[in-house]
Amino acid sequence: MALNSSATNTKRKLFAFTIVPNNSPRQNQISISFTMKHTIDLLPNSELPDEVLKIAKLELREEKCAREQSLEQLRNWILKNEDLREVRLDEQFLLRFLRCKKYSVPMAQQTLLKYLNVRRTFPHMYAQLDCLEPKLSEVLSSGYIFATPKRDKNGRRVVIINAKGFNPKLYDSSYQARAHFITYECLMEDQATQICGLVHVGDFSGVTTAHITNWNPTEFARVFKWSEQSLPMRHKEIHLVNVPATLKWLIDFVKGRVSTKIRQRLNVYTNDKELTKLVDPECLPQELGGHMPMKAMVELWKEELAAKRETILNLDKIALLSDRGIMRKNNSNVDKNSNNINFVSQMESIEGSFRKLEFD
């Protein structure tokens, strides 16, 4: 859906994208065009188009009967769980966990517990996510991270992460993390995004040593690892462009510690010339080969954040009293790529390397 400066007043917008069932050959793709009655951020829960529901059925095994039964089971579990307080019971919130786990209720329960545990463990990064708070507003206005206003051909929102937009001399790592978390919370509220997923584009041009050393290695390791396991999002593609050669070792290090699924969807490029072949230019800012200036996209994104401000702030009312219900893997289940070496310990061991980096 194309958005412009007057998009918030638009009542009907045409969507066109292709459904690609998991592991299906290109000839089995289903081309779909349909009309939504509202802009993407204002779409009521009851008005998800049939075409989006077809994606849910193909990729998530979602059908009305199974959806209602799973919601009932999850609600009953929440109400009986003594470790949970003030958890939202509306379907828009609960479906983010069920959809990301393809309606496995036990796995959705675990993801909910892990999600709340991240919020509880890192309150300086995850609490009071207010887009109007002065410093956070400055980071968001700089264009460090934002979702572009148009969906791609697969119905996905595209998240741009722009290293040049974050000044590590003015803001510490907590504000960098807060910008990410408020972005993801806003996107997770949208049911079409819960179903279709996200595309991430990270532009590393302008990255400096200060961007790396802004983080405490131990905290970075914990936030990175826990967030990848706990945030109920569908990461469909990840493109990192303009990555300096001096950062290749860090990218390889990170790739070795994410899930196999995420690793297979992660692509790294030394420049952004090929990006428009991989991501629809309509979904990219002008600075990365698209059509709309980044500044205009950022302003539209800030409008979306403002519209969901109260919803996001009210998430602070939810409480996890204990993490005893979280199932943890045994050492025998550690990914072979880690060679059984603790993630945090490795990050600490390369702290010296962080501080010696020099960029072109």
Side-chain angles (χ1 to χ4, degrees), residues 89-207:
L89 297 177
D90 59 282
E91 72 172 40
Q92 185 159 320
F93 180 74
L94 298 182
L95 282 173
R96 63 168 77 173
F97 301 98
L98 289 168
R99 283 170 170 152
C100 84
K101 293 304 177 183
K102 299 185 178 180
Y103 284 87
S104 166
V105 175
M107 292 178 70
Q109 293 169 351
Q110 284 297 304
T111 303
L112 173 59
L113 291 175
K114 292 177 181 179
Y115 161 82
L116 295 177
N117 198 37
V118 168
R119 294 185 64 97
R120 183 180 75 149
T121 305
F122 305 103
H124 59 300
M125 296 181 178
Y126 222 140
Q128 298 180 334
L129 295 176
D130 188 350
C131 62
L132 299 184
E133 190 272 320
K135 282 192 174 181
L136 182 56
S137 178
E138 290 172 5
V139 174
L140 295 169
S141 296
S142 71
Y144 166 61
I145 182 171
F146 60 94
T148 63
K150 186 173 182 180
R151 295 182 185 275
D152 71 3
K153 64 181 181 180
N154 297 303
R156 305 163 184 167
R157 295 298 294 274
V158 178
V159 178
I160 305 295
I161 302 168
N162 171 35
K164 287 185 291 189
F166 185 80
N167 187 340
K169 296 180 180 179
L170 295 179
Y171 311 103
D172 62 25
S173 59
S174 68
Y175 278 97
Q176 191 171 8
R178 288 164 68 78
H180 280 266
F181 287 137
I182 194 173
T183 295
Y184 301 143
E185 284 293 355
C186 185
L187 290 167
M188 286 188 289
E189 287 292 331
D190 176 53
Q191 290 210 50
T193 299
Q194 292 174 6
I195 293 170
C196 299
L198 298 170
V199 173
H200 302 268
V201 176
D203 181 7
F204 279 70
S205 61
V207 73

Side-chain angles (χ1 to χ4, degrees), residues 262-313:
I262 295 297
R263 187 161 57 247
Q264 291 173 344
R265 296 174 179 178
L266 175 61
N267 302 288
V268 183
Y269 312 91
T270 56
N271 58 64
D272 55 27
K273 294 180 180 179
E274 299 295 313
L275 189 58
T276 53
K277 297 179 182 179
L278 304 164
V279 181
D280 184 352
E282 292 289 335
C283 301
L284 293 172
Q286 198 173 68
E287 292 81 352
L288 288 174
H291 305 305
M292 183 183 291
M294 184 179 297
K295 184 176 180 180
M297 287 186 167
V298 170
E299 290 304 312
L300 288 173
W301 176 240
K302 288 168 62 180
E303 290 181 15
E304 282 195 55
L305 290 173
K308 293 189 175 74
R309 177 173 177 263
E310 292 301 322
T311 300
I312 294 172
L313 287 172

